Amino acid sequence: MGPLVPEIIGNELNFVVALFVGIAFGFVLEQAGFSTSKKLVGLFYGYDFTVLRVFFTAGVTAMIGVIAMGHFGMLDLSLIYINPTFLYSALAGGLIMGLGFVIGGFCPGTGVCAAAIGKIDAIIFVVGLFAGVLIFAEGYPLWENLYKAENWGSPRIFELLGISQSLFAFLLMLMAVGAFWAVTFVERKVNKVPGEEFKLKKIYYGLTGIAVVIGLSAFILPDRKDAMMDKLTNVNYISAYEIKTMSADELTFRLMDDDKKLQIFDLRSESEYKELSLPKSTNISLSNIFEKDILKQLSLKGMRNVIIADDETMAKKGAIIASELGYENVKVLKGGMNLLKEEILNFTSQNNITGIKISDTERFRIKASKVLPVLISENKLKQSAQPVKKAKRIIGGC
């Protein structure tokens, strides 16, 4: 599952790969004519909209690709880095870059591309670019407040608009198609192309139809996390779903026996977990089950995976998610932690007190009620000594 960094491509190798990807990207830009300032600024004067077509096409292609890969579990979307939005600095930076684009005829990427093939105007542009970077860095204390003002975090547009990801993807695809028709019309008017505005109407209609179908595909590729969470709001769906259980006695026995193949996923809140956590357990949320690190743990062969929560229903939700993602070797703690506390941790045998012969189960629980708290205390000391490992988003982006 992606992202490939840092597990398949190491952090250091990442820079090497990025270098070669950058060279390949620059080569494609140059071959597409993007090293010519006349072609690039045609966007602003209306005689050439190649830039708009290329970048709009790249954007919607990447969007559909990410949606599809997320839907099929090939990409952990929670690890995709999203540049934070600082509104005022974004507006100021966009204005400066736009002016630079119009005046210089390049954007930073195409400027470097053109400079690499020896174009003098591009070399001067790149020198100016680095001068701007130097001025920004040296003068940072002066505009730090503006730079950090109106921090919106890392919002996603469809969330701000209150619509689904699928609907936003479809609307953006329609916007792209509409833009392609509009700019073609403008190009032909500005360039005074003789004849009809759209001589190749059949091709345009065909391409529009393909784009609309691709846009509609977003509706059959919903975010699997959102779709699954919606299902888990249905009580009947949860109760009808068959999941194997493990009793409090068996779980306690395996902990006392130090079962090396046992791993526990605890869905309780972080505060509850800090107060009382079983050995061999990891504190997670339902959302974490979709993530790369937890899926890697669930996929370990021969392991006994047990999901626990305060009650059995909550644990079952986690087990259903794991089962739907293809992990069948998952059980839930029968009766949840509430029953484990009652049957083990707080167990008191009335029969033992009155001298009546006790059963094997009672004998085990009497012993377990003394041993398990000790194991929990030792586990707490270990956890406090070990730093919590969390997956990090690799910072990047344009």
Side-chain angles (χ1 to χ4, degrees):
M1 174 186 280
L4 302 179
V5 181
E7 293 171 4
I8 296 178
I9 300 174
N11 286 321
E12 292 76 17
L13 182 61
N14 181 30
F15 294 110
V16 178
V17 173
L19 174 64
F20 284 103
V21 170
I23 292 172
F25 180 62
F27 176 78
V28 172
L29 284 180
E30 202 283 326
Q31 291 297 302
F34 280 26
S35 58
T36 305
S37 58
K38 184 179 178 183
K39 191 176 192 67
L40 295 171
V41 296
L43 173 74
F44 301 102
Y45 296 99
Y47 61 80
D48 192 333
F49 285 93
T50 305
V51 173
L52 181 144
R53 292 191 183 92
V54 168
F55 284 98
F56 226 146
T57 302
V60 294
T61 301
M63 175 186 68
I64 295 297
V66 167
I67 289 174
M69 293 178 76
H71 175 79
F72 291 112
M74 299 167 66
L75 181 64
D76 184 352
L77 299 182
S78 67
L79 293 181
I80 299 295
Y81 179 75
I82 302 174
N83 279 321
T85 299
F86 296 92
L87 185 61
Y88 294 157
S89 53
L91 292 173
L95 179 62
I96 293 170
M97 180 179 169
L99 286 173
F101 201 160
V102 174
I103 296 170
F106 299 101
C107 71
T110 55
V112 173
C113 174
I117 61 173
K119 292 200 170 181
I120 295 175
D121 57 343
I123 294 173
I124 295 172
F125 180 86
V126 172
V127 170
L129 187 153
F130 279 105
V133 171
L134 181 64
I135 292 170
F136 174 80
E138 292 298 321
Y140 182 73
L142 297 175
W143 33 72
E144 182 179 3
N145 291 335
L146 172 65
Y147 181 76
K148 294 181 176 178
E150 282 298 307
N151 181 3
W152 285 15
S154 301
R156 294 190 289 182
I157 297 175
F158 66 87
E159 291 173 343
L160 291 177
L161 297 175
I163 62 177
S164 69
Q165 174 182 276
S166 302
L167 178 58
F168 174 76
F170 178 67
L171 293 176
L172 190 63
M173 186 65 80
L174 288 184
M175 186 187 296
V177 172
F180 293 164
W181 278 90
V183 297
T184 301
F185 179 79
V186 172
E187 266 181 356
R188 288 179 176 270
K189 287 293 183 186
V190 172
N191 295 325
K192 298 179 179 176
V193 176
E196 297 179 6
E197 281 77 6
F198 303 101
K199 286 185 177 179
L200 304 175
K201 279 187 177 179
K202 289 185 179 178
I203 295 178
Y204 290 143
Y205 285 141
L207 292 175
T208 299
I210 293 172
V212 171
V213 170
I214 293 174
L216 287 171
S217 69
F219 289 102
I220 61 173
L221 300 172
D223 184 271
R224 65 175 181 168
K225 179 178 170 182
D226 293 340
M228 182 56 62
M229 289 300 190
D230 285 343
K231 282 186 179 180
L232 294 179
T233 59
N234 187 331
V235 178
N236 294 329
Y237 173 77
I238 296 172
S239 60
Y241 208 104
E242 293 188 5
I243 293 289
K244 294 179 181 176
T245 60
M246 180 179 285
S247 68
D249 289 326
E250 182 182 348
L251 181 63
T252 305
F253 172 77
R254 293 190 180 282
L255 289 172
M256 292 167 61
D257 196 42
D258 193 22
D259 186 348
K260 303 295 184 187
K261 293 185 176 180
L262 177 68
Q263 54 183 4
I264 301 170
F265 299 93
D266 192 332
L267 289 173
R268 293 175 303 148
S269 67
E270 191 175 339
S271 60
E272 288 178 301
Y273 184 77
K274 283 182 178 176
E275 186 179 344
L276 192 163
S277 58
L278 297 177
K280 303 180 185 296
S281 66
T282 304
N283 187 216
I284 62 171
S285 65
L286 285 178
S287 297
N288 293 147
I289 301 176
F290 294 91
E291 296 173 1
K292 199 173 180 179
D293 286 349
I294 300 303
L295 294 180
K296 193 187 296 179
Q297 286 182 255
L298 286 171
S299 64
L300 294 175
K301 290 184 179 178
M303 298 301 289
R304 297 182 183 88
N305 300 310
V306 183
I307 298 181
I308 67 174
D310 282 329
D311 59 76
E312 188 176 327
T313 302
M314 183 63 183
K316 196 174 178 183
K317 290 181 179 180
I320 291 173
I321 293 173
S323 178
E324 289 294 307
L325 295 178
Y327 301 95
E328 300 294 340
N329 57 335
V330 176
K331 294 183 179 180
V332 299
L333 175 60
K334 189 174 183 179
M337 280 296 286
N338 291 335
L339 189 61
L340 185 140
K341 290 176 184 175
E342 180 184 330
E343 291 186 342
I344 305 295
L345 294 175
N346 302 323
F347 180 74
T348 302
S349 173
Q350 296 300 321
N351 292 334
N352 190 36
I353 294 172
T354 57
I356 300 173
K357 186 177 180 181
I358 60 175
S359 66
D360 291 341
T361 301
E362 286 177 302
R363 190 177 295 109
F364 169 75
R365 290 178 180 176
I366 291 170
K367 180 181 178 182
S369 66
K370 297 173 183 174
V371 176
L372 188 56
V374 175
L375 295 178
I376 290 172
S377 297
E378 292 175 351
N379 180 62
K380 195 170 186 177
L381 291 174
K382 286 181 185 175
Q383 286 183 328
S384 60
Q386 295 175 350
V388 179
K389 292 183 179 179
K390 288 187 177 180
K392 293 181 179 178
R393 291 178 172 180
I394 303 300
I395 297 176
C398 178

